[in-house]
Amino acid sequence: MGEKRQGCQMMAVRGNEAEGTERRHSALLNFCSNRGVLGISILLMLFLSKNIYDHMDDEQQKRRKEVLVGMCDQRARMLQDQFSVSVNHVHALAILVSTFHFYKNPSAIDQETFAEYTARTAFERPLLSGVAYAQRILNSEREEFERQHGWTIRTMEEEEPSPIRDEYAPVIFSQETVSYIESLDMMSGEEDRENILRARATGKAVLTSPFRLLNSHHLGVVLTFPVYNSKLPPNPTVQERIEATAGYLGGAFDVESLVENLLGQLSGNQGIAVIVYDVTNSSDRLIMYGHHSLESDMSLKHVSRLNFGDPFRRHEMICGYLQEAPTSWIALTTSFFVFVIGILVLKSQAEAADIAKSQFLATVSHEIRTPMNGILGMLQLLLDTELSSAQKEFAQTAEACGEVLITLINEVLDRAKIEARRLELEAVPFDIRSILDDVLSLFSEKSRQKGVELAVFVSDKVPEVVVGDPGRFRQVITNLVGNSVKFTEQGHIFVQVLLAAQANSVMDAETEICTNGESECKMESCIRQYNTLSGTQAADDRSSWVTDKHLDDESGDASSTVMNGDASTTVMNGDASRGVALMVCVEDTGIGIPEQAQKRMFTPFMQADSSTSRNYGGTGIGLSISKCLVELMGGQMDFKSRPQIGSTFFFAVEFRSCENNLIVNLKKSLSDDLPNSFKGIKALIVDGKPVRAAVTKYHLKRIGIQAQTVGSIAKAVAVFGKYGSLISRDEKPRDVLLVEKDLWIPGEEYDMMQLSSWRKNGHLYKLPKMVLLATNITAAECEKAKAAGFEDTVIMKPLRASMVAACLQQVLGISKKRQHGKEMLNKSIGKSGLLSGKKFLVVDDNVVNRRVAAGALKKFGAEVHCASSGQEALKLLQIPHEFSACFMDIQMPEMDGFQATTLIREMESRAKAHVNRECTTEGEARKGEWHIPILAMTADVIHATLEKCLKIGMDGYVSKPFQEKSLYEAVAKFFEPKETVNSS
Amino acid sequence: MEIVGQLQKQFVDFSTSLYGEGFLDEQYLQLQKLQDESNPDFVCEVVSLFFDDSEKLLNNLATALQQQVVDFKQVDAHVHQFKGSSSSIGAQRVKNMCVAFRNFCEEKNLDGCLRCLQQLNHEYFLVKNKLETLFRLERQIVEAGGTVPVIVA
């Protein structure tokens, strides 16, 4: 009715929005199809940041260049200055010689004076290794000269007496540092000769090209000055100059030390390499200083001209950095940051697109679901009509497919929700054990058919009630167990839940044991094959946790690990809202996962390999969802698998523990009403496999039965034999004997017979009831079992506490009535305490619904009135009334729940205003008294509807059809706080 | 005692088949949980209410669909009622039928509606039959001095 109408409206609204939606979708498709766009954008970002880097790097290079130019020029200038200072001084010396040697007669200078003077003025010419004066001697004057000085003129190379030439230039005065050149003919050396000729022709200081100096082997140049014997005319010709030449003053420049020295003065600046060239002959540059092969960065260099005062020679200085330009970190980081920011922007865009995609998926999935329900419904109808067997089969197949499709759509929807981060986890108290039992019951049929042993074990340390999202937890477990069931053909599937801390300590302990007593381990495994549930090997040896003494509370020797475990529980109990980290592990002995496939196990739609989906079906989305869910629950999922041996999936989840005072109440409403009438009953489990026995023990313990385990029937017989002979023992005999099917084998028939004959003869004080536990059993075996004494019952596995309880009730003849009554008693303490004496109004046009709602509320001890329409409800709720709350159906003819609620709220506010007015006179405040909690009852769980409920003035909602639990929870919200206030 | 056992077994088998074939769902179990000493015939009471209500609705539906001009809104309202009550007692197949029925109402598909009504009639009487059998068995068990087994679906 109204729901439908509203649905229609929604459809209409959707129709109007269709354009908009389409646009959104197309934009979305654009984005999806343009995966390339993303790539291009990333490339663009890369390009941009590269540009930025280049630009900044360029800037830096430019700066570097400028610095280099500055430095190079500075060095060149200094070199030039120092050089010319020295040149000037040599010039002065030349003048000195001409003045005192030639103009003065007799000469005022001899070798001694010259040496003395030059030595004392050496500081003026730091760059010159030495100076010397050579006299111009024509061949005609040679004999006279040689006689005068008492030595012969020698050549520079061989230092032999010089052969006859036109003229000579023997050194007559020399500084002590170069005294070895005395009497050497300067004109016998190629370089010097040229120099001399050029010098006297120009009258200026001239330089040789660089060469290795005689003594120091440093590179150097020789500077030559002409000395004229008479005053020259103002503008002398070359001929006049040559004729006036009397001698030459020369000095050797040690360029290497000169530059070294210079650079030394400037050290502390950035290290640069300097090379000085003589470039007189531009095609053949001669090095004066520095090395070509210097490991320097000559990619960046600067050339400075040098003017040493000799117009004929040209020199230049080339500078370069010694080191490569350091990576410019600023440029690098800046561009990197630009890139990162760009990528982040892109990422956020992509994420937005991802969310849009997920939303799109969600919408689409939802839209698919609706018609799919129609299809399924129609198929169901079709199946109920008269069909030929072939038609029926087709229709059944179609229906099965449709159901699979629905499941898949739901899963996709889930994933989309997770990706869109719209999946919110509930935080409600729940009982892990009963959830695990539920999941097990889902797969019990399948596992039985396959003959696979399915079992669950929850450690005692795990609190009974935790706060979390039971639905999602169940989903994860269901998925894992479902997978295991799918892929396991023999052996077992075993679900274990432990406290994470416990699991760790056990693992530590295990490794310890294994290292300490390896041989012992080996021996054990030989005897017991593998210590797992079914004795089949598993991928991970976690089964042994269960039997490990560290986990066993009753274990006599209190090892340190047990102490630790206890400590952790006490801590946990002390702090109420502490997290409970659980380790859940699902172990199977299935086909396992090939190693190459293990990496992509959690990728959606990936199965181990393509043959998997062919052989086993399924889409492979479940695992990825489970992983996401586990992560949302603050945990991690992982697995170990060995092909052909099995897989073990394990995950940790974090729940919150329930506050202590709530636990008692919640336990009653949450756990699936396990009977507790078994208190004091003792059982004997006959089972050779400790893990399996532990599971049985766990289930028995949950319903309050204390159990003891023996490994074989023979031992069981022994135990009973003991009781048989010594009835007077204080110990109570065992009431129930639970025997695993595989232990009951022909070989032990004798013992069995003995046992059953005792029973038959009434030999025992009190006969134990005998129960057979089996995974699968054939009719023949069943008969045989009955014959062997198991007439009481066969419990089919997987074991579930509630089922075990039901079977044992039957066996032990505990009347259901009594048990039921007790349960009721418990309940009325828990629930009716809350609602007793309260008066509720149920408004629903549907008489059946009304009756059910009334029944449920009455059960909590409340008094219930019914109204079949909105109008009737209005009449009943005229103020003052005595109702504590009102349950309102939304869709009713004439006046629907929304209208009724609106009117009720109006009525209340009028009354309030009235009361307030009276208040001013009477001074008695009863403000806010008239607000009756109205809870909507609706089958429509669309969020919008629920929001509308709250908007219109309702206080909550209960979904239809009624579930006792949800109804209770909804009501409890309103009354619990008051209750505690009253009671305290 | 033997008879009780047989009856109990029969009862269990029959109930299991009802759940197995989808006639009933867990809502019916919920209903059973509401029954206790203070309210011993609760399920029976609700179910007979359901029967009365359903028959009235089926009549209304038949009339409504025979009109010259069919008021689909009216029909939809009736089906909604039916859906509500059937889901309240957990008559799953009737409920599913109603879902399909309402789709036809929405489409204003008279043929579909008529077919659905027929099916609905069929389903209703089927489940009525089954439930009556179930109650009869329960009564027999109680009369024979046994207790009605609790079904855990």
Side-chain angles (χ1 to χ4, degrees), chain A residues 584-629:
Chain A
V584 184
C585 133
V586 179
E587 170 189 286
D588 69 45
T589 56
I591 58 167
I593 302 157
E595 254 166 55
Q596 72 271 18
Q598 295 195 356
K599 268 183 201 150
R600 50 192 158 91
M601 277 319 281
F602 294 116
T603 322
F605 299 109
M606 279 287 187
Q607 285 191 326
D609 58 58
S610 50
S611 66
T612 310
S613 43
R614 235 181 296 129
N615 294 338
Y616 296 96
T619 54
I621 193 177
L623 261 186
S624 78
I625 292 176
S626 298
K627 188 177 161 67
C628 288
L629 288 175

Side-chain angles (χ1 to χ4, degrees), chain A residues 169-234:
Chain A
V171 174
I172 52 166
F173 305 141
S174 60
Q175 194 176 342
E176 245 168 329
T177 50
V178 290
S179 54
Y180 52 88
I181 63 166
E182 195 165 325
S183 79
L184 293 187
D185 177 11
M186 284 297 131
M187 286 184 88
S188 62
E190 183 69 18
E191 299 276 340
D192 295 81
R193 182 186 161 81
E194 246 172 61
N195 239 24
I196 288 167
L197 294 180
R198 241 165 12 89
R200 69 183 184 195
T202 56
K204 285 187 174 155
V206 298
L207 297 170
T208 60
S209 56
F211 62 96
R212 296 255 163 225
L213 293 178
L214 273 178
N215 241 11
S216 63
H217 290 284
H218 282 178
L219 274 175
V221 289
V222 169
L223 170 82
T224 313
F225 259 104
V227 176
Y228 300 105
N229 57 6
S230 55
K231 288 220 168 73
L232 283 172

Side-chain angles (χ1 to χ4, degrees), chain B residues 83-126:
Chain B
K83 187 183 147 209
S85 49
S86 56
S87 70
S88 276
I89 71 146
Q92 193 174 221
R93 284 163 67 152
V94 174
K95 189 189 82 185
N96 290 345
M97 205 54 232
C98 291
V99 174
F101 202 152
R102 291 191 70 188
N103 284 334
F104 283 122
C105 285
E106 198 183 329
E107 292 166 17
K108 303 206 189 311
N109 180 342
L110 186 56
D111 277 352
C113 284
L114 285 171
R115 263 202 320 275
C116 269
L117 179 58
Q118 204 185 348
Q119 281 292 321
L120 201 54
N121 247 314
H122 177 72
E123 281 297 342
Y124 165 66
F125 283 108
L126 219 53

Side-chain angles (χ1 to χ4, degrees), chain A residues 881-925:
Chain A
H881 61 72
E882 292 174 329
F883 292 103
S884 313
C886 169
F887 288 82
M888 178 82 73
D889 184 25
I890 297 217
Q891 288 145 344
M892 292 183 290
E894 285 156 53
M895 184 190 288
D896 69 17
F898 291 136
Q899 284 171 327
T901 306
T902 317
L903 289 173
I904 292 167
R905 292 293 179 232
E906 274 174 19
M907 211 157 70
E908 283 173 352
S909 59
R910 271 201 306 277
K912 193 174 157 189
H914 185 68
V915 169
N916 279 353
R917 236 176 292 132
E918 280 179 9
C919 270
T920 50
T921 52
E922 290 175 21
E924 189 200 350

Side-chain angles (χ1 to χ4, degrees), chain A residues 1 3-4 378 381 384-385 816 824 845-849 851-852 855-856 859 891 961-964, chain B residues 27 30 33-34 42 45-46 49-50 76-77 80-81 84-85 87-88 93 97 102 106 119 123 150:
Chain A
M1 295 175 313
E3 180 188 6
K4 203 67 240 170
M378 290 324 289
L381 290 185
D384 292 335
T385 56
K816 206 202 123 223
M824 282 300 113
D845 60 320
N846 189 317
V847 62
V848 180
N849 288 350
R851 188 67 193 84
V852 174
K859 199 171 164 198
Q891 288 145 344
F962 287 116
Q963 303 272 318
E964 194 186 345
Chain B
Q27 184 59 28
Q30 287 282 332
K33 277 196 196 161
L34 294 181
F42 180 72
E45 190 187 328
V46 171
L49 267 175
F50 168 70
D76 188 66
H80 175 70
Q81 278 273 2
S85 49
S87 70
S88 276
R93 284 163 67 152
M97 205 54 232
R102 291 191 70 188
E106 198 183 329
Q119 281 292 321
E123 281 297 342
V150 175

Side-chain angles (χ1 to χ4, degrees), chain A residues 103-119:
Chain A
Y103 302 168
K104 244 199 163 76
N105 211 351
S107 162
I109 301 174
D110 55 7
Q111 163 62 28
E112 206 180 326
T113 330
F114 187 84
E116 172 83 18
Y117 178 75
T118 50

Side-chain angles (χ1 to χ4, degrees), chain A residues 29 223 485 705 760 961:
Chain A
L29 286 174
L223 170 82
V485 169
I705 297 181
K760 287 198 180 111

